[in-house]
Amino acid sequence: MTKKVRYNMSMMLDVGCKNFAETALTENDFNDRINISQKNMAALIFGYTSIEAFINEVISISEVSNKLSKPKEYFDSIIELGKKLSIKDKYNLLAILLDVELWDSSSEPFQSFEIIQTIRNEVIHHKGNWHEHGGIPIKKLKPVFDKFKLKSLSTSWQSELFLCNDFGAWIYEKSNAMRKQIHEKILRKIEE
């Protein structure tokens, strides 16, 4: 199996994230706010999902790797368990198996990826809540709001964030840093 085939889904999602991010970044007509928001939202969903797909692909690759020398049933149970685990838990499961550093929420790229995950969860599981007094309702999001200089919110925090032309580019940058982390710390060790 070649790398091109192995990473087919995660790479397609990664390219989708990049395309949406680039088109949001180059949008010149601020009056087309819906278009900018949709492109950034698509970049968010594609960027997050590309990492989820990549970690799942790495789990599948570990099944056929001689490095771990575990029976097929072992990986069948990991793949089944993986359907219920978070990306962080899947990463840590592989990290423990390979004796590498665990997920560290206080450092990059994990910290930024957790922000992406929080925003994605707020979008996917949207409850229709509005923050009436302006400001940031979720403490974890403060770094990204500071980066995009969003202090006083006139509408929902999601609307304000998705209207930033370069928000999608930030997502693409951070999801690729996470992909690189998984590749260097986990996949490279499996393929040695």
Side-chain angles (χ1 to χ4, degrees), residues 137-166:
I138 302 169
K139 192 175 187 177
K140 184 184 272 190
L141 301 180
K142 186 173 180 353
V144 78
F145 276 73
D146 289 347
K147 175 178 180 36
F148 293 108
K149 298 175 178 60
L150 299 174
K151 299 289 183 195
S152 176
L153 304 178
S154 58
T155 63
S156 73
W157 66 267
Q158 296 99 332
S159 296
E160 296 289 328
L161 186 58
F162 286 114
L163 284 172
C164 297
N165 285 70
D166 51 347

Side-chain angles (χ1 to χ4, degrees), residues 78-97:
I78 287 178
I79 290 169
E80 190 59 33
L81 177 64
K83 293 176 184 176
K84 296 176 178 92
L85 295 177
S86 67
I87 292 172
K88 177 181 180 178
D89 290 340
K90 290 175 189 181
Y91 181 95
N92 283 338
L93 178 65
L94 289 169
I96 290 167
L97 286 172

Side-chain angles (χ1 to χ4, degrees), residues 7-52:
Y7 313 134
N8 194 29
M9 182 58 70
S10 67
M11 289 304 291
M12 287 190 301
L13 291 162
D14 182 62
V15 169
C17 177
K18 180 180 181 185
N19 289 339
F20 284 116
E22 286 175 350
T23 56
L25 191 60
T26 59
E27 188 68 47
N28 292 324
D29 185 6
F30 191 74
N31 293 324
D32 194 3
R33 298 163 60 97
I34 292 173
N35 200 17
I36 295 167
S37 294
Q38 288 174 341
K39 291 171 185 175
N40 281 328
M41 192 174 296
L44 172 73
I45 293 167
F46 274 61
Y48 176 85
T49 308
S50 74
I51 299 305
E52 186 173 31

Side-chain angles (χ1 to χ4, degrees), residues 27 34 55 57 66 68-70 106 108 121 125 138 182:
E27 188 68 47
I34 292 173
I55 197 82
E57 290 164 352
N66 293 330
L68 299 178
S69 62
K70 303 279 186 192
S106 66
E108 290 297 331
N121 289 345
H125 307 291
I138 302 169
I182 294 167

Side-chain angles (χ1 to χ4, degrees), residues 7 54 58 61 182-183 185-191:
Y7 313 134
F54 188 51
V58 170
I61 292 165
I182 294 167
H183 186 270
K185 300 293 183 182
I186 305 285
L187 185 59
R188 187 170 283 165
K189 198 146 187 180
I190 290 170
E191 293 183 329

